[in-house]
Amino acid sequence: MRHTPTGYWLEEAGAVEPAAPLAGDVTADVAVAGGGYLGLWTALRLKELEPGCDIVLLEAGVCGHGPSGRNGGFVNSLWADARVLLESFGREGGAAVYRASTESVPAIGDWCERNGVDAWYLAAPKVKVATTPAQDGAWAPVAAALAELGAGDDVRELSAAEVAGRCASPVFRSGLLVPGSATVQPARLALGLRAKALEAGVRIHEHTRVRRVRPDGTVETDGGRVRAGAAVLAVNSATGAFAGFRNALAVASSHIVLTEPVPDVLEEAGWTGGEAISDHRTLLHYFRTTPDGRIAFGWGGGAMGYGARPGGRLDVDGFCAESAHATLLRFLPQLAGRRLTHAWGGPIDVSPSHLPVFGSRGAVHHGFGFTGNGVGPAHLGGRILASLALDRRDEWSSLALVDPPRKSFPPEPFRYAGGALIRRALIAKDAAEDEGRRPGALTAFVASLPKRLGLHLPR
Ligand SMILES: Cc1cc2nc3c(=O)[nH]c(=O)nc-3n(C[C@H](O)[C@H](O)[C@H](O)COP(=O)(O)OP(=O)(O)OC[C@H]3O[C@@H](n4cnc5c(N)ncnc54)[C@H](O)[C@@H]3O)c2cc1C
């Protein structure tokens, strides 16, 4: 098994011919920087609202080849952030954001259907499981917050027997069912969006890195400039490189390994409903299946060291392919002797509040901070940013996610040093709990620091 920079989904979706880089100066109504889900949904929404809108989209690599084409394909609302929504925006504001995020899940499926994009969209429930006694009932505060937001029926507790009915594993205990969820083949969705944006007349330039965005909406690259009435910054983990955003986000990473097709294993475990599963560790494990019976197994919170070794063995945080396989075997012992075929990873744009952030500075409109949950929320982000770019005061641009009170991460070098220390403590805490031990007092204290500082970690 080799670690590849882009992973299985992009390989399965097939190559695309890159669009020509920007060469020279052009004008447009809106310039979009970044061709992931957020930039592409924004461009398509702009065309939907104003078909005559002239849009130039600039992408440093190839659209959809970043995290949007490499993620786990879990399509979630902001249900897991219910507590933060309530605390940050109150009952009414929080409920409006939550409802808007739930609408995006089926809207992505509808869009695929209407546009003939086969992104393997599957309306399948998310199952959050406890895998250690320490995780039992860990979802209770979120379930209570959802009830306060008027959405208590959106989740349902599952007994251990009910969890086993969806996927039998020796380590799965009780859990929480989130029916309004889905999965996609992420790269097929991203490349489908790219194809439809091109068809709609969006002028896409690839291998075109934006170097600077001026407050008047002018966007500068090495090869030319776009003079636009409005600019949209949708560059995910690269946002911190732009003036004024340095401490607005932190960058973590997530990684995935994929098995060979194992339909017999899925059959034996009774995992045939396409459920997207994750545990309740701080640095969570997540699992899903593919139509040909593979299992994608991912985990969050690693370092960025993997990127330096495309083609080499996956080895992040001591979490090499062998240990990924060993972890998978704990969940599904039937996988003994079965091969992992692919491994890959990508950056995660972590927001201090755990919620995505949208807003405007002059004629520049930004969105970032999906914190590992961007497949569904980037669709909502596209609606928000299109309304902001067109200066529309509507239900999207007035959501409380827009221009929230500013929160920042500590500046460097404290962020790197503190982050490394906290990450080590989180790994130690999760490992102790996996082994049925209580973490040591110092580990528990350091692991609790982000919460004490009002920072929310990716799940
Ligand atoms: C391994 C992994 C697993 C994940 N699993 C899930 C999941 O299961 N469910 C979920 O909801 N989320 C998941 N995520 C997160 C999800 O992929 C992202 O939140 C989502 O793709 C965000 O879309 P985006 O458009 O903001 O970012 P991106 O896909 O990163 O797009 C940003 C684009 O901007 C481009 N760019 C960067 N700098 C510049 C520049 N200066 N000029 C021009 N272009 C630039 C990049 O090349 C990139 O194409 C996962 C992420 C990873 C890495």
Side-chain angles (χ1 to χ4, degrees):
M1 189 219 38
R2 309 298 285 175
H3 184 229
T4 57
T6 50
Y8 170 75
W9 306 121
L10 280 156
E11 189 180 304
E12 195 285 331
V16 291
E17 185 63 34
L22 179 69
D25 290 2
V26 298
T27 58
D29 295 320
V30 182
V32 178
Y37 294 142
L38 183 61
L40 290 164
W41 280 124
T42 303
L44 283 162
R45 177 70 172 174
L46 283 165
K47 281 288 186 190
E48 185 187 335
L49 294 175
E50 289 198 10
C53 185
D54 182 22
I55 304 160
V56 171
L57 187 152
L58 307 171
E59 162 57 47
V62 175
C63 291
H65 281 226
S68 293
R70 308 186 206 175
N71 60 76
F74 287 37
V75 190
N76 296 313
S77 68
L78 292 172
W79 72 269
D81 293 303
R83 232 158 33 113
V84 189
L85 289 173
L86 198 58
E87 283 162 17
S88 310
F89 308 139
R91 213 178 270 186
E92 202 181 324
V97 171
Y98 170 71
R99 264 197 315 277
S101 78
T102 61
E103 286 167 16
S104 280
V105 178
I108 292 171
D110 290 348
W111 182 87
C112 291
E113 176 94 34
R114 273 186 284 114
N115 288 279
V117 169
D118 179 8
W120 300 358
Y121 181 90
L122 180 69
K126 164 99 189 244
V127 182
K128 193 92 183 152
V129 293
T131 57
T132 64
Q135 295 173 24
D136 283 340
W139 46 81
V142 169
L146 281 169
E148 274 207 59
L149 294 175
D153 292 343
D154 286 11
V155 294
R156 182 167 71 78
E157 280 213 51
L158 295 177
S159 66
E162 287 174 313
V163 168
R166 297 197 171 258
C167 178
S169 157
V171 296
F172 288 176
R173 302 162 68 90
S174 54
L176 190 76
L177 188 79
V178 191
S181 309
T183 57
V184 287
Q185 202 283 36
R188 282 175 171 243
L189 175 60
L191 297 183
L193 291 167
R194 174 187 185 274
K196 294 298 158 183
L198 284 167
E199 255 177 63
V202 176
R203 292 186 281 151
I204 295 182
H205 294 286
E206 294 178 316
H207 295 300
T208 301
R209 181 170 294 279
V210 171
R211 299 287 179 193
R212 188 167 177 195
V213 182
R214 294 181 177 275
D216 68 356
T218 302
V219 173
E220 297 174 357
T221 74
D222 291 339
R225 237 182 335 195
V226 186
R227 290 181 195 281
V232 171
L233 193 58
V235 294
N236 196 268
S237 56
T239 308
F242 288 83
F245 292 99
R246 179 173 299 178
N247 298 321
L249 70 161
V251 180
S253 67
S254 189
H255 308 272
I256 298 179
V257 292
L258 187 82
T259 69
E260 63 183 329
V262 290
D264 53 315
V265 172
L266 301 184
E267 196 70 39
E268 196 185 325
W271 188 14
T272 51
E275 289 89 348
I277 302 176
S278 68
D279 64 14
H280 229 293
R281 295 165 106 240
T282 314
L283 304 178
L284 92 178
H285 292 129
Y286 52 94
F287 313 81
R288 60 161 292 180
T289 57
T290 63
D292 65 350
R294 297 168 183 268
I295 296 171
F297 162 51
W299 61 95
M304 287 298 297
Y306 75 89
R309 290 186 293 279
R313 281 161 60 100
L314 178 67
D315 192 350
V316 200
D317 297 339
F319 204 137
C320 64
E322 286 74 24
S323 53
H325 200 226
T327 304
L328 248 183
L329 284 179
R330 274 185 54 230
F331 292 106
L332 289 169
Q334 304 94 314
L335 286 171
R338 304 304 178 90
R339 264 177 350 109
L340 296 179
T341 59
H342 295 74
W344 68 96
I348 297 284
D349 55 337
V350 180
S351 122
S353 66
H354 205 272
L355 291 172
V357 176
F358 301 95
S360 304
R361 298 185 188 176
V364 183
H365 311 282
H366 58 264
F368 63 86
F370 292 104
T371 318
N373 179 27
V375 183
H379 174 271
L380 170 60
R383 289 178 162 176
I384 292 172
L385 288 176
S387 290
L388 290 176
L390 295 175
D391 203 16
R392 291 189 177 203
R393 299 286 149 232
D394 59 16
E395 60 180 301
W396 313 109
S397 59
S398 55
L399 285 171
L401 286 178
V402 179
D403 284 325
R406 277 196 204 177
K407 270 190 162 188
S408 301
F409 283 102
E412 297 296 6
F414 306 107
R415 179 169 357 146
Y416 180 80
L421 195 72
I422 289 168
R423 195 162 49 80
R424 268 206 297 277
L426 294 173
I427 291 170
K429 172 179 168 285
D430 282 338
E433 289 175 355
D434 280 354
E435 290 162 15
R437 290 185 285 115
R438 281 170 74 88
L442 184 61
T443 298
F445 174 73
V446 177
S448 74
L449 280 177
K451 208 168 176 185
R452 289 165 191 262
L453 296 170
L455 303 173
H456 296 262
L457 293 163
R459 268 187 301 269

